[in-house]
């Protein structure tokens, strides 16, 4: 029986080709993901270990803590005195103090080099030999004066800088000009991620990022023969463990390796989820293929039964075929996955996310996973067709080319499918009623709905396709009528073929509707709530602006209104309340704030404005008094002067004059500053704002359209990633349609010969096969789009409270494109089967059994 199974695989190579491709794609996705994440994790861990190779002990500051009264306690970092004590420990060769923060470098056009928050600044910390062990200089030397900086090699090349050139460097304040003292190479992770690194003289770096005389970190190098563990034991008593942590360099590298692995796991999980979707879709293709193969070999299998093979042997022969196909697909998929991982690594380098050098990691677990997944998926998908082979009665089967499913089995299937579908719909509505906490419940309901749909598809296919039959016949004539009849001749087969497309388009439609709706909500928020001409923020949207930005802009010509949106807080009782610090004279000009009661003019009198929802929750009205404690521990009584409609995403629940908030904060966090100009939005006025900021490369001056594009771009990027990943499932769906049609043509060879004999020419035969393919594809697409819209509505209903202006938007253009693509898929999938059918010799076909 094993030899028979192998012969059958070789005898049906063409018919099994699509199954092999489907499994291969899924396995390649899985193995490629595992190889890529393992390789990336290993490279980053190796980089981390290399960067700490000369560090025996590292002491890291936790930053300045706050006491129960809100006041800062202790030192802002590790002091110079502590550094001197550590340096005096026996066995210590040298100690380097480090500080770091954001620093941006502009190119010749003033544009930021590197990507956002990956642009770092640090200090040059030379040892006794005048060299810093962390950096290797390829040109010049490290900065030793206040007016000098050094740049990493990649940044210097991108900016066209050479030693001695003037370099404009920005932190979160005004741009400063330095002289380039040298260029270096580094294993710093920020640089390898596409960012930049600027080295300052230590005193300047401390002024910029901390306080003079303090460090974020100490790197301790051991003298020859000294033990890192012993040094750690001697250093720990010298530091305050409440404000700093000491550990060996090896332990720190190991911890970073664990953090990297943990970070990789989220990306790996996402990619594997999409690989799982592809494999799930592939199950339908495999099931359909083996169902059709078994049906076509009914006489052969019956003959085996007649000559002595029992049910178990016949069943095992089919499963052996599946096993061979799965093993072959897994081996090819593993090889393809390794190639995919190499390609992904090259792509990362191309887009600027430089990956450290390292070996390609193909772990034994990856190989095992690829083989197990390939074999398991194929075998499980073939189980039901194999089980059905054992139920074929030898005598009845030898007199029948195909045994259709009984009416009873379809009735049972329809009942089960209806129950599961209704249960899924019920669970989805339950999730909707739970609001924001019901998304996981909706996900469970969606799974049940899809399963129920798959079970019910044979029932649904008949009325749906029957409804379009008159139109097909009217437009395409006899080929259209025959195509519709062929599509519902075997409802099980049509259902399984359409299911793969339906699943893929359900996911695509759900994400598209949600993405477009979120984009419109953000657009409405920008249009309805934002009156400012420009928003000034740090490049990449991460980090704080210096308070001098608002002051500088207020004095700039052509600027009529400026308001910072400073983030802060105060305590009322035992609870912290987030607050926005604004300019009372300008806030009404840059934001469209609808006042429910009171007046925004009260902000200028030192009073506070409260968002409507918060006011109702806290039982506050105009005139209410709040006993507030600020960040520095100072207390004050704040009077509520206004209640306004919530501006989620633009303002905190409490709004106060920024002068009051700033007076109680050492270093304010100001994510953005809103600006209105006398000339309104124009290139000239935007350039005037940029010029007023000193053409600072670290700052972005965004128009209202830029702000919309910023959020819309994030959503579109996420959607494009989803489309790309889900494209794998749709490709497998196409393979399923091709396979079904090709095998269906083989089954209907005699029938097609008869049609040719009575006058159906080759062109009409091709049209018949194409239309059958399009009908099946559109049937699956319509179901997928319908379920996708329903699920998008369900998920969206849980977002209405957290996303302002949320209203479901149906992207009819994208839905139309999805349906058009489904029709195109049908046409393309039918090309080979249609050509094969048209080329059949009618006399030979008629004689075929």
């Amino acid at each position: 029986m094993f030899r028979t199974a192998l012969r059958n695989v070789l005898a049906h190579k063409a018919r099994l080709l699509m199954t092999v491709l489907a499994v291969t794609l899924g396995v390649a996705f899985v193995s490629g993901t595992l190889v890529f994440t393992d390789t990336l994790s290993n490279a980053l861990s190796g980089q981390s270990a290399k960067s700490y190779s000369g560090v025996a002990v590292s002491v890291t500051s936790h930053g300045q803590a706050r006491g129960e009264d809100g006041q800062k306690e202790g030192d802002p970092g590790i002091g110079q005195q502590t550094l001197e004590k550590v340096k005096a420990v026996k066995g210590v060769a040298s100690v380097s103090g480090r500080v770091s923060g954001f620093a941006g470098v502009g190119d010749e056009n003033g544009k930021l080099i590197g990507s956002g928050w990956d642009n770092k600044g640090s200090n040059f910390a030379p040892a006794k030999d005048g060299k810093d062990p962390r950096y290797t200089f390829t040109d010049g030397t490290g900065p030793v004066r206040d007016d000098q900086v050094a740049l990493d090699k990649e940044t210097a090349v991108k900016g066209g800088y050479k030693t001695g050139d003037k370099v404009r460097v920005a932190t979160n304040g005004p741009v400063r000009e330095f002289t380039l003292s040298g260029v270096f190479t580094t294993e710093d992770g920020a640089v390898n991620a596409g960012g930049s690194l600027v080295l300052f003289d230590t005193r300047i770096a401390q002024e910029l990022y901390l306080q003079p005389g303090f460090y974020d970190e100490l790197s301790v190098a051991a003298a020859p023969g000294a033990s890192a563990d012993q040094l750690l034991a001697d250093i720990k008593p010298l530091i305050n463990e409440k404000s700093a942590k000491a550990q060996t360099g090896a332990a720190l590298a190991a911890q970073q390796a664990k953090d990297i692995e943990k970070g990789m796991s989220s990306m790996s999980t996402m990619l594997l989820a999409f690989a799982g979707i592809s494999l799930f879709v592939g199950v339908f293709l495999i099931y359909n293929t083996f169902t059709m193969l078994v049906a076509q070999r009914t006489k052969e299998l019956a003959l085996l039964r007649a000559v002595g093979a029992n049910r178990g042997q016949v069943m095992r022969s089919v499963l052996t075929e599946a096993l061979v196909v799965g093993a072959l697909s897994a081996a090819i998929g593993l090889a393809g996955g390794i190639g995919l991982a190499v390609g992904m690594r090259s792509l990362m380098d191309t887009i600027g996310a430089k990956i450290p050098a390292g070996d390609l990691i193909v772990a034994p677990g990856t190989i095992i996973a690829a083989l197990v997944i390939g074999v398991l998926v194929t075998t499980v998908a073939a189980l039901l067709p194999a089980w059905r082979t054992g139920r074929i009665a030898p005598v009845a089967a030898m007199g029948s080319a195909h045994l259709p499913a009984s009416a009873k089995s379809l009735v049972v299937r329809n009942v089960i499918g209806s129950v599961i579908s209704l249960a899924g719909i019920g669970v989805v509505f339950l999730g909707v009623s739970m609001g924001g906490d019901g998304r996981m419940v909706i996900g469970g309901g969606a799974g049940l709905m899809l399963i129920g749909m798959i079970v019910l598809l044979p029932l649904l296919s008949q009325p749906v396709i029957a409804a379009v039959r008159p139109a097909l016949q009217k437009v395409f004539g006899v080929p259209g009528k025959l195509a519709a009849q062929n599509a519902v001749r075997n409802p099980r087969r049509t259902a399984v073929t359409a299911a793969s497309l339906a699943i893929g388009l359900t996911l695509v439609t759900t994400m598209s509707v949600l993405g477009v709706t979120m984009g419109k909500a953000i657009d409405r928020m920008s249009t309805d709530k934002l009156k400012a001409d420009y928003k000034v923020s740090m490049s990449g949207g991460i980090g704080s602006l210096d308070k001098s930005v608002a002051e500088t802009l207020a004095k700039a010509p052509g600027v009529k209104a400026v308001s910072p949106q400073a983030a802060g807080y105060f305590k009322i009782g035992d609870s912290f309340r987030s607050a926005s610090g604004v300019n009372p004279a300008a806030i009404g000009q840059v934001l469209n704030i609808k006042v429910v009661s009171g007046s925004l003019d009260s902000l200028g009198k030192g009073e506070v404005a409260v968002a409507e929802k918060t006011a109702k929750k806290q039982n506050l009205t105009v005139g209410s008094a709040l006993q507030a404690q600020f960040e520095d521990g100072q207390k004050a009584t704040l009077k509520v002067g206004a209640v306004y409609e919530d501006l989620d995403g633009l303002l905190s629940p409490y709004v106060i004059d920024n002068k009051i908030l700033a007076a109680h904060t050492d270093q304010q966090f100001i994510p953005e500053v809103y600006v209105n100009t006398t000339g309104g939005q124009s290139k000239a006025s935007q350039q005037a704002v940029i010029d007023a900021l000193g053409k600072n490369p670290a700052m972005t001056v965004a128009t209202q359209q830029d702000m919309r594009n910023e959020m819309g771009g994030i959503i579109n990027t996420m959607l494009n990633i989803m489309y790309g990943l889900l494209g794998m499932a749709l490709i497998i769906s196409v393979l399923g349609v091709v396979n079904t049609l090709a095998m269906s043509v083989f089954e209907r060879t005699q029938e097609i010969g008869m049609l040719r004999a009575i006058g159906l020419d080759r062109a009409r035969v091709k049209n018949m096969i194409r239309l059958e393919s399009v009908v099946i594809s559109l049937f699956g697409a319509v179901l997928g789009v319908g379920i996708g819209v329903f699920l998008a509505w369900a998920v969206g209903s849980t977002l209405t409270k957290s996303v302002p202006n949320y209203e479901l938007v149906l992207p009819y253009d994208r839905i139309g494109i999805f349906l058009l693509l489904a029709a195109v898929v049908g046409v393309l999938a039918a090309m080979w089967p249609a050509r094969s059918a048209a080329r059949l010799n009618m006399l030979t076909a008629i004689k075929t059994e």
Side-chain angles (χ1 to χ4, degrees):
M1 294 302 292
F2 181 73
R3 287 196 300 271
T4 301
L6 290 179
R7 288 196 194 100
N8 283 326
V9 171
L10 296 173
H12 301 105
K13 294 188 292 291
R15 289 181 238 173
L16 289 170
L17 176 62
M18 299 303 171
T19 298
V20 171
L21 282 175
V23 180
T24 296
L25 286 171
V27 172
F29 210 153
V30 172
S31 55
T33 297
L34 294 175
V35 171
F36 176 69
T37 51
D38 286 347
T39 298
L40 184 57
S41 179
N42 181 70
L44 292 174
S45 297
Q47 178 194 64
S48 175
K50 187 176 180 181
S51 64
Y52 287 101
S53 60
V55 179
V57 175
S58 173
V59 182
T60 308
S61 171
H62 297 323
Q64 199 164 17
R66 292 184 184 273
E68 293 181 1
D69 58 358
Q71 296 189 21
K72 292 183 178 181
E73 296 180 341
D75 294 329
I78 303 167
Q80 185 68 33
Q81 290 183 340
T82 303
L83 185 148
E84 298 299 334
K85 290 178 183 179
V86 172
K87 188 183 289 186
V89 172
K90 183 179 179 182
V92 171
S94 64
V95 181
S96 300
R98 307 283 179 183
V99 289
S100 62
F102 171 80
V105 179
D107 60 15
E108 60 182 5
N109 298 316
K111 292 185 178 180
L112 183 68
I113 299 173
S115 53
W117 203 243
D118 286 325
N119 296 314
K120 288 176 55 179
S122 189
N123 63 307
F124 176 66
K128 292 178 182 178
D129 59 0
K131 297 180 180 179
D132 191 322
R134 284 197 180 181
Y135 312 106
T136 302
F137 279 81
T138 59
D139 187 29
T141 61
V144 292
R145 299 200 313 265
D146 291 358
D147 63 345
Q148 291 182 328
V149 293
L151 294 177
D152 69 272
K153 188 176 180 179
E154 292 285 337
T155 301
V157 170
K158 290 176 182 176
Y161 294 115
K162 296 179 181 178
T163 300
D165 288 349
K166 296 296 182 181
V167 181
R168 289 163 58 81
V169 181
T171 52
N172 63 344
V175 180
R176 295 177 60 177
E177 194 170 76
F178 296 86
T179 300
L180 184 62
S181 66
V183 176
F184 59 89
T185 58
T186 177
E187 292 296 325
D188 189 280
V191 175
N192 283 319
S196 62
L197 180 61
V198 182
L199 294 182
F200 301 91
D201 175 66
T202 296
R203 190 182 69 81
I204 294 298
Q206 288 176 329
E207 287 180 359
L208 287 170
Y209 301 126
L210 210 59
Q211 284 184 22
F214 291 93
Y215 303 92
D216 292 317
E217 177 192 354
L218 302 181
S219 297
V220 181
S227 164
D229 291 331
Q230 184 58 53
L231 286 178
L232 179 64
D234 294 340
I235 290 171
K236 274 188 174 182
L238 304 178
I239 65 172
N240 181 356
E241 293 192 7
K242 291 183 178 179
S243 60
K245 180 181 180 181
Q247 56 188 323
T248 63
L252 186 59
Q255 181 60 49
Q256 285 199 359
K258 286 183 180 179
D259 293 340
I260 289 168
E261 186 176 350
K262 186 177 180 181
M264 289 293 103
S265 66
S266 58
M267 179 176 69
S268 177
T269 300
M270 182 189 73
L271 292 174
L272 288 175
F274 286 100
I277 293 170
S278 298
L279 288 168
F280 181 64
V281 171
V283 166
F284 296 99
L285 190 157
I286 300 163
Y287 166 80
N288 225 12
T289 300
F290 278 92
T291 298
M292 295 169 75
L293 282 175
V294 168
Q296 291 168 10
R297 288 162 43 203
T298 301
K299 289 188 177 183
E300 174 191 328
L301 295 170
L303 180 61
L304 289 173
R305 291 290 312 281
V307 297
N310 59 36
R311 289 186 176 185
Q313 287 177 310
V314 173
M315 180 177 174
R316 284 193 295 273
S317 72
V318 176
L319 289 177
T320 301
E321 291 179 46
L323 190 68
V324 172
V325 170
L328 176 64
S329 304
I332 299 172
L334 177 61
I338 294 172
L340 181 63
V342 173
M344 290 172 71
R345 182 169 181 167
S346 300
L347 178 63
M348 294 284 283
D349 288 334
T350 302
I351 62 177
K354 182 181 174 185
I355 297 177
D359 296 330
L360 189 71
I361 305 300
V362 185
T366 300
I367 298 173
I368 293 171
L371 293 174
V372 169
I373 289 169
V375 171
L376 191 64
V377 167
T378 311
T379 306
V380 168
L383 265 176
L384 187 55
W387 175 72
R388 285 176 179 163
T389 60
R391 300 179 65 194
I392 297 173
V395 176
M398 292 195 60
S400 174
H402 176 66
L403 291 177
S406 67
K408 179 182 177 182
S409 66
L410 285 175
V411 169
V412 172
R413 176 173 180 152
N414 293 338
V415 171
I416 294 172
S418 299
V419 171
I420 296 174
S421 298
L422 290 173
I425 294 171
V427 172
V428 168
F429 278 111
L430 175 63
V432 170
S433 67
M434 295 170 64
D437 298 326
R439 287 170 207 145
M440 292 297 292
V441 176
I442 291 173
L448 285 174
M449 280 185 64
L450 285 174
I451 293 171
M453 176 199 71
I454 293 164
V455 177
L456 273 179
L457 275 176
L459 175 65
L460 296 173
S461 64
Q462 294 177 343
V464 172
I465 296 175
V468 300
R469 185 189 303 170
L472 288 172
Q473 184 174 352
K474 184 176 181 180
V475 176
F476 299 100
V478 174
K481 179 181 180 180
L482 293 173
Q485 289 175 342
N486 289 333
V488 293
R489 177 183 294 183
N490 190 324
R492 290 177 184 271
R493 185 182 302 170
T494 298
V496 174
T497 306
S500 53
L501 269 173
I503 292 168
L505 281 173
T506 294
L507 297 171
V508 170
T509 303
T510 302
M511 298 307 301
S512 294
V513 173
L514 285 173
V516 170
T517 302
M518 289 289 289
K520 292 291 184 182
I522 292 166
D523 190 59
R524 279 194 292 269
M525 181 177 73
S526 301
T527 305
D528 298 343
K529 305 299 182 184
L530 194 62
K531 294 165 64 177
D533 294 332
Y534 306 105
K535 181 183 78 171
V536 179
S537 60
M538 297 298 290
S539 294
I542 304 174
S544 173
L545 296 167
D546 189 77
K547 64 180 181 180
S548 63
V549 171
E551 296 168 358
T552 301
L553 289 172
K555 300 173 185 176
V559 173
K560 67 176 182 180
V562 177
S563 177
Q565 210 283 62
Y569 71 89
F570 48 75
K571 284 177 68 176
I572 298 177
D574 294 328
S575 62
F576 289 89
R577 309 290 172 88
S578 62
S580 292
V582 302
N583 177 3
I587 189 63
Q589 299 178 56
V590 296
L591 293 179
N592 186 13
I593 304 175
K594 187 174 181 180
V595 178
V596 178
S597 58
S599 171
L600 288 180
D601 294 338
S602 62
L603 292 174
K605 303 174 185 177
E607 296 178 2
V608 63
V610 184
E612 187 177 18
K613 291 179 183 176
T614 302
K616 288 180 180 178
K617 187 177 179 180
Q618 302 296 330
N619 197 26
L620 299 175
T621 58
V622 172
S624 296
L626 302 174
Q627 302 301 318
Q629 181 180 354
F630 290 96
E631 292 184 47
D632 60 356
Q634 297 296 314
K635 296 180 180 180
T637 300
L638 299 176
K639 181 182 177 183
V640 176
V643 175
Y644 65 93
E645 282 191 0
D646 292 64
L647 286 177
D648 295 328
L650 292 176
L651 284 177
S652 298
Y654 294 85
V655 180
I656 193 171
D657 187 341
N658 194 46
K659 291 179 182 178
I660 298 174
L661 207 58
H664 298 283
T665 307
D666 293 337
Q667 208 167 16
Q668 267 199 309
F669 181 73
I670 307 175
E672 57 239 355
V673 171
Y674 293 111
V675 183
N676 259 353
T677 57
T678 53
Q681 292 190 52
S682 67
K683 288 185 178 180
S685 60
Q686 185 179 22
Q687 189 60 50
V689 174
I690 293 172
D691 293 341
L693 294 170
K695 296 181 180 179
N696 192 320
M699 295 182 191
T700 300
V701 178
T703 64
Q704 286 191 9
Q705 188 59 48
D706 292 333
M707 289 179 246
R708 294 177 192 139
N709 293 342
E710 181 183 344
M711 287 306 298
I714 294 171
I715 292 171
N716 287 331
T717 299
M718 292 176 63
L719 283 176
N720 289 334
I721 292 171
M722 294 287 293
Y723 292 156
L725 294 172
L726 290 171
M728 182 74 74
L730 295 178
I731 289 172
I732 294 175
S733 300
V734 173
L735 296 178
V737 177
V738 173
N739 214 27
T740 298
L741 290 172
M743 299 183 76
S744 180
V745 167
F746 176 81
E747 280 183 355
R748 302 192 330 245
T749 299
Q750 188 180 57
E751 176 189 321
I752 293 170
M754 290 295 294
L755 290 171
R756 290 291 315 283
I758 62 174
L760 199 68
D761 59 23
R762 290 185 175 183
R764 291 183 178 181
V765 169
K766 285 184 178 180
N767 279 342
M768 178 183 71
I769 302 299
R770 289 194 197 105
L771 289 171
E772 181 181 348
S773 176
V774 170
V775 166
I776 293 172
S777 299
L778 284 176
F779 170 58
V782 169
L783 281 175
V785 167
I787 296 173
V789 169
F790 173 69
L791 293 178
W793 166 82
V795 174
S797 65
T798 67
L799 299 171
T800 52
K801 291 184 179 179
S802 56
V803 179
N805 304 306
Y806 186 94
E807 291 179 12
L808 187 70
V809 177
L810 293 181
Y812 293 106
D813 53 343
R814 299 195 187 193
I815 291 174
I817 290 172
F818 296 157
L819 295 176
L820 179 61
L821 286 175
V824 171
V825 162
V827 173
L828 295 177
M831 288 180 66
W832 173 46
R835 185 169 177 269
S836 299
R839 294 179 64 188
L840 287 175
N841 182 289
M842 67 179 74
L843 295 178
T844 304
I846 290 171
K847 292 187 293 181
T848 302
E849 293 186 7

